[in-house]
Amino acid sequence: MEHHLQVTDSRTGKSYTIPIEGDYIRAADIGRIGAPEGKSDITALKAARPLSIIDNGFQYTACMESSITHIDGLRGTIRYRDFPIENLFHEYVHEDVMYLNIWGNLPTQQQKDGVRETMYKAMIPNQSVKDVISSFPRDAETFPMILAGMSAFAASDSVICKTRHQQSAMFHGHLDVADEALVRTIAYLASTISLIYSHKNEKPWNAPEPNRSLLSNLLLMMGITDPQVEKCLAKLWILYADHEMTNSTAAVLHAGSTLIDPVSAVTAGIICGYGPLHGGAIDLAYEAFRQIGTPERVPPFIERIKAKGGRLFGYGHRVYKTRDPRVSLIEELLEEHREAVDANPLLRVAMAIDKYANQDAYFTERGLKANADLMGCFLYTAMGFDTDMIIAITILSRTPGALAHWRESLTQPVKLWRPLQKYVAPLAN
């Protein structure tokens, strides 16, 4: 073998050769260290148990092998199915990239039309879904409304319900069934979000149309008719189409490993997406913008952050050691909407923070910059979206990518995810 680790176990004196594959070693090879050579070798087992790995937060652990997205945080590059994200951004729209990530090729018009037709049919809610959404107060938080809406859709889908009542796998090894369910799941989420938006804003809900894309139908159902909004989001959503193994994508796969249906798996991802250390950080960043109020109050706010008097949400990203390639592409879109950005009071505060941070040694020396998740939200705000809906719509833009990983897992051997723990004895009373 070309590259390997040579490891000696000081407990037994035995040496082991651990192959290096790319930049990875396999945990199963680590598990060989200390393992008895035969089942009857109890003496050796008592002397040195097989090793396991402790990695709190999975910071150094890869849980899957995937061919969908590659991120090089050192070089600052992202590739979907080996296409550079910059090329996709400038030459295609989200509908094309969604298909690419899920099915591995850029779609023909016929393939796009097939997905559109399936989504359109699934987007039409039955009365129970409408009743669930309308039962919430108009000022209720969007997060629990999404969970309720998705549950109502799942309850009316016979295939989704059947998943839990048969011994054989519904989706694993049956990609035709999985593909239909996957597309319906995306449609259910789009419809749920549009119903919530209409309910909260006391606007009529508009029925989808079969010849429209996911994004186009979302905006139609929400009653948003400005073509510039669709043009902008068709590009912005490319940048959020997938981001490799995020916390929420891992949640989708963790749930999916039980052979549960895609609606339930995506719901697990949505729950993670709203956490304050994940997508929920956007809400906290916007709350800070409101508290600051005006650009003139930015300097003392930043100084308080530097003195450990608070946290600046939406800045920094643990994956990138250089500039996130999505940021420059978002800046192109921001420039196209510069007038709307400059006219918005919240965004004037956000831009003042960004300008201050980019010139302050505390931030520059630590490489702390506004991340792409936060900067993309500025576009939603500039186009008139309520902050309350931004995370919901962003999660929708990411859901097809998470489901691409779910679909990929269906082609791999079934493996229930069950991490280990290290037991630590409690302190004596």
Side-chain angles (χ1 to χ4, degrees):
M1 62 189 72
E2 184 177 358
H3 297 292
H4 61 276
L5 302 178
Q6 197 67 39
V7 179
T8 300
D9 187 346
S10 64
R11 302 171 301 173
T12 63
K14 292 182 179 179
S15 292
Y16 301 84
T17 300
I18 308 296
I20 299 175
E21 303 174 14
D23 297 322
Y24 296 87
I25 61 174
R26 293 193 177 272
D29 289 328
I30 298 297
R32 291 191 295 110
I33 299 175
E37 296 179 359
K39 292 183 179 180
S40 60
D41 195 358
I42 304 300
T43 303
L45 183 59
K46 290 180 178 179
R49 294 178 183 271
L51 293 183
S52 296
I53 298 170
I54 298 177
D55 184 10
N56 196 326
F58 308 112
Q59 191 167 359
Y60 302 99
T61 302
C63 59
M64 290 287 285
E65 293 181 81
S66 175
S67 300
I68 299 170
T69 300
H70 180 258
I71 298 173
D72 189 326
L74 294 176
R75 293 181 174 86
T77 61
I78 301 175
R79 302 176 76 91
Y80 297 149
R81 299 287 188 178
D82 214 28
F83 287 84
I85 195 170
E86 295 85 355
N87 293 10
L88 294 170
F89 178 85
H90 289 119
E91 298 174 18
Y92 297 94
V93 294
H94 172 261
E95 184 178 26
D96 302 308
V97 175
M98 177 184 75
Y99 196 99
L100 171 69
N101 281 342
I102 295 173
W103 289 288
N105 62 276
L106 290 164
T108 64
Q109 187 59 49
Q110 183 178 5
Q111 288 171 324
K112 286 195 285 190
D113 289 343
V115 173
R116 288 179 176 188
E117 178 70 20
T118 303
M119 279 196 181
Y120 152 72
K121 292 176 181 177
M123 283 175 177
I124 301 173
N126 59 34
Q127 192 59 45
S128 65
V129 177
K130 295 179 181 178
D131 291 344
V132 164
I133 300 301
S134 62
S135 69
F136 281 85
R138 295 189 192 276
D139 61 351
E141 288 194 5
T142 298
F143 170 51
M145 295 177 75
I146 291 176
L147 301 185
M150 291 297 282
S151 295
F153 266 117
S156 62
D157 187 314
S158 60
V159 174
I160 297 300
C161 291
K162 189 179 178 182
T163 305
R164 297 180 297 280
H165 301 287
Q166 64 179 46
Q167 294 183 4
S168 59
M170 175 68 76
F171 307 107
H172 194 276
H174 304 285
L175 290 183
D176 54 339
V177 180
D179 285 344
E180 292 282 329
L182 177 157
V183 173
R184 292 200 305 277
T185 299
I186 298 168
Y188 293 161
L189 182 55
S191 187
T192 296
I193 291 170
S194 68
L195 287 165
I196 293 169
Y197 178 86
S198 299
H199 178 62
K200 282 176 166 287
N201 291 280
E202 299 185 63
K203 292 182 176 181
W205 181 83
N206 300 310
E209 296 177 356
N211 61 339
R212 289 177 178 258
S213 68
L214 166 65
L215 173 58
S216 181
N217 260 329
L218 172 72
L219 297 175
L220 172 64
M221 291 187 290
M222 295 172 74
I224 298 172
T225 58
D226 185 350
Q228 292 302 312
V229 174
E230 182 175 349
K231 179 184 176 183
C232 177
L233 295 186
K235 293 296 186 180
L236 180 64
W237 279 22
I238 291 174
L239 308 182
Y240 296 149
D242 188 48
H243 205 239
E244 215 181 69
M245 193 53 60
T246 66
N247 177 280
S248 48
T249 299
V252 170
L253 290 174
H254 203 127
S257 76
T258 69
L259 301 183
I260 197 65
D261 62 272
V263 174
S264 300
V266 162
T267 301
I270 292 170
I271 291 169
C272 292
Y274 267 90
L277 293 183
H278 201 6
I282 302 304
D283 265 348
L284 295 174
Y286 271 78
E287 286 179 16
F289 300 159
R290 294 189 193 93
Q291 291 171 5
I292 295 168
T294 65
E296 292 74 23
R297 296 173 63 184
V298 165
F301 170 80
I302 293 293
E303 293 305 316
R304 190 168 71 252
I305 296 295
K306 290 162 59 177
K308 312 298 183 185
R311 179 171 180 170
L312 188 57
F313 284 90
Y315 274 70
H317 200 296
R318 88 178 200 181
V319 171
Y320 297 99
K321 307 308 178 187
T322 184
R323 185 175 172 86
D324 182 337
R326 298 173 297 172
V327 170
S328 59
L329 302 175
I330 291 173
E331 287 173 344
E332 290 182 28
L333 295 175
L334 287 171
E335 200 54 43
E336 292 177 16
H337 297 270
R338 178 55 57 190
E339 186 175 339
V341 171
D342 292 343
N344 186 284
L346 275 182
L347 295 185
R348 285 201 295 270
V349 172
M351 292 303 174
I353 291 174
D354 198 50
K355 182 179 179 180
Y356 195 101
N358 286 336
Q359 297 172 349
D360 190 286
Y362 178 90
F363 292 91
T364 58
E365 290 172 3
R366 292 168 171 79
L368 296 175
K369 296 179 179 293
N371 60 43
D373 296 322
L374 177 61
M375 290 192 68
C377 293
F378 298 165
L379 286 160
Y380 285 109
T381 302
M383 291 182 289
F385 286 92
D386 296 333
T387 306
D388 183 55
M389 295 302 298
I390 291 176
I391 297 178
I393 298 172
T394 301
I395 284 175
L396 174 60
S397 70
R398 290 204 169 194
T399 294
L403 284 170
H405 288 272
W406 174 76
R407 184 184 190 273
E408 186 179 50
S409 74
L410 301 180
T411 66
Q412 300 170 358
V414 175
K415 188 72 174 178
L416 176 67
W417 287 23
R418 192 195 183 286
L420 302 175
Q421 66 156 25
K422 177 186 175 183
Y423 174 72
V424 179
L427 297 174
N429 294 327

